[in-house]
Amino acid sequence: MHVVVIGAGAFGGWTALHLRRNGARVTLLDAWGPGNSRASSGGETRVIRLIYGGQRRYVELTIRAFELWWQHEERWRHRLYQRTGALWLFGENCPDGDAYARNALPLIDDPDFRIAKIPLEQLRASYPAISTHGLRSAFFEHEAGYLLARDACAAVCEGFVAEGGEYRREAARPGRIAGGAMHAVMLGGGATLRADAFVFACGPWLGRLFPEVIGDRIRPTRQEVLFFGTPPGAAAYDESSLPVWLEHGERFVYGIPGDGRRGFKLADDTRGGPIDPTSDDRVVSPEAVARARAFLARRFPALAAAPLVESRVCQYEQTPDGDFILDRHPAAHNVWLAGGGSGHGFKMGPAVGELVARMVLGRAEPEAEFVLRRLVPGQTVRTGAATGPSSPSRLAAETSRP
């Protein structure tokens, strides 16, 4: 069976690797390369954490993803995951209090993933760089940290090729669907590439490639990430002294200390305006810098006047409910669509790729919370106990870009 996977990001790269390991002949295509600057899987780091409110299916996928990240670090002798722990901070102005953490606790009974509520006085003693002013509560997630995003995409692609897969830097678009199937994709130079099945894992481009099937059900949003310089030689703001942190308040703000010596990473998870992932300039706005400095002054006061040493504009590819799209094309039995990471999908890439590969090979069916028809008005989808975030208003407060 020959499968063409279009997109070498977190979903596509891992799907290609799992397909290859299950005996398929696989060709992986990407227009700019794994982890490129335009991709949602680009950039240096992503948070990996298990607290997911009451969303059981995401907890399950993340536990499986942790296992696969650990296995592949050992297999490839390549560091992909930096364990720092994750500190969850809940402000007095958080609309749901600390329910997001409390609702996750009954879903996490694995002793490898310990979560503890921390008294604020202990927080002050353990992390003196953090001001606790305006905080309601805090939780510490022991097995959490960050992933080396761009590096991981490259490692997955290299591992895929080492195991017999074919990678080509090529732009591709869907070919004609006839008789309930697609027989080829169109390549950038006008050539075609035929295969038995196709997986489109194209991140923010997925709606553009399939305007009638997906269209604006995936909306790329502009997300600004800032890196602030810390004092020379200071360890208080790197991963040796400070964990990944995530604060739920009026807005959801998160950060990664150290971040590969690029500075103190800070990002606002609030969904930004629209972005064209191909052609838009990626320059951060003065408003984003001002909001970040105001946050630093309140929560990390010693960094209030820290210089901005690096910045980037990336994007989320947002679905209306924040859940992924992992489904078969409704008009083509051999075409699969994998996307809608919605700012929280990278961490689950290994588990999502495993799941999509099983569907392509006929060993699993699409899961109700990830099917396309849930996003079509007037259609209902039966769901079991495993459900994802259910509304855009909750999404803004519940997801982080890993």
Side-chain angles (χ1 to χ4, degrees):
M1 182 179 185
H2 182 202
V3 185
V4 172
V5 179
I6 301 95
F11 286 5
W14 284 104
T15 297
L17 181 62
H18 285 297
L19 283 166
R20 179 66 199 129
R21 286 186 182 159
N22 280 275
R25 173 191 166 203
V26 186
T27 303
L28 176 63
L29 307 177
D30 196 286
W32 290 287
N36 69 81
S37 294
R38 288 180 170 99
S40 296
S41 296
E44 300 303 316
T45 53
R46 298 290 185 277
V47 173
I48 181 167
R49 43 83 179 187
L50 191 58
I51 287 180
Y52 246 102
Q55 313 309 314
R56 182 179 299 275
R57 186 57 178 133
Y58 286 126
V59 171
E60 294 169 347
L61 285 171
T62 305
I63 287 176
R64 178 57 179 156
F66 265 112
E67 294 169 350
L68 291 167
W69 286 114
W70 296 334
Q71 289 174 17
H72 285 83
E73 276 199 326
E74 183 175 354
R75 180 173 188 152
W76 293 332
R77 300 181 183 275
H78 191 118
R79 185 170 74 91
L80 304 172
Y81 167 47
Q82 179 68 40
R83 182 181 182 272
T84 65
L87 187 61
W88 293 81
L89 308 173
F90 293 90
E92 294 173 346
N93 55 1
C94 183
D96 297 323
D98 56 13
Y100 188 70
R102 288 187 291 103
N103 291 343
L105 299 182
L107 307 180
I108 304 169
D109 56 4
D110 190 318
D112 288 336
F113 299 97
R114 293 179 293 123
I115 298 169
K117 188 171 183 177
I118 305 176
L120 293 183
E121 56 270 23
Q122 181 183 337
L123 176 66
R124 285 191 290 270
S126 300
Y127 306 108
I130 299 176
S131 167
T132 60
H133 177 73
L135 290 182
R136 176 198 305 266
S137 59
F139 292 76
F140 188 75
E141 183 177 341
H142 288 264
E143 191 60 61
Y146 64 84
L147 299 161
L148 299 173
R150 177 172 52 193
D151 198 29
C153 290
V156 171
C157 187
E158 290 166 7
F160 163 74
V161 171
E163 295 187 33
E166 180 189 9
Y167 165 69
R168 294 163 61 176
R169 185 172 168 181
E170 290 262 15
R173 64 183 189 276
R176 188 170 66 92
I177 294 174
M182 184 182 295
H183 302 288
V185 290
M186 310 297 294
L187 302 180
T192 60
L193 178 60
R194 298 180 64 86
D196 301 301
F198 303 88
V199 179
F200 289 85
C202 304
W205 294 275
L206 204 52
R208 184 181 299 176
L209 291 173
F210 296 95
E212 296 181 358
V213 173
I214 295 180
D216 63 4
R217 296 183 183 100
I218 288 181
R219 296 186 178 183
T221 60
R222 173 188 169 91
Q223 307 297 140
E224 296 170 305
V225 180
L226 308 173
F227 301 83
F228 291 91
T230 57
Y237 301 99
D238 67 25
E239 54 263 44
S240 68
S241 304
L242 194 66
V244 163
W245 54 270
L246 311 96
E247 178 169 337
H248 287 249
E250 288 184 10
R251 302 168 82 92
F252 182 26
V253 183
Y254 68 97
I256 299 176
D259 201 75
R261 300 181 298 280
R262 277 172 169 73
F264 188 83
K265 177 178 178 178
L266 188 151
D268 187 331
D269 194 63
T270 306
R271 275 37 179 178
I275 186 173
D276 185 317
T278 302
S279 60
D280 277 4
D281 289 334
R282 295 176 181 252
V283 180
V284 298
S285 66
E287 294 79 11
V289 177
R291 282 194 302 267
R293 289 200 180 281
F295 179 86
L296 287 174
R298 184 172 70 253
R299 191 62 62 221
F300 297 91
L303 296 181
L308 180 65
V309 294
E310 199 169 316
S311 63
R312 62 175 283 121
V313 176
C314 56
Q315 75 270 319
Y316 295 169
E317 67 275 3
Q318 188 68 43
T319 61
D321 58 9
D323 288 336
F324 307 150
I325 294 173
L326 307 173
D327 198 5
R328 193 194 306 267
H329 190 291
H333 68 84
N334 66 337
V335 175
W336 296 87
L337 308 172
S342 300
H344 64 110
F346 187 93
K347 73 176 84 60
M348 285 176 261
V352 167
E354 186 177 57
L355 175 60
V356 174
R358 292 180 65 232
M359 291 193 294
V360 173
L361 297 172
R363 300 172 188 172
E365 289 298 316
E367 299 183 13
E369 58 266 51
F370 303 137
V371 296
L372 266 168
R373 65 181 180 276
R374 79 180 195 274
L375 302 176
V376 179
Q379 293 196 24
T380 58
V381 180
R382 181 179 60 82
T383 59
T387 59
S390 59
S391 72
S393 60
R394 284 180 55 202
L395 177 72
E398 292 189 359
T399 59
S400 76
R401 185 173 181 81

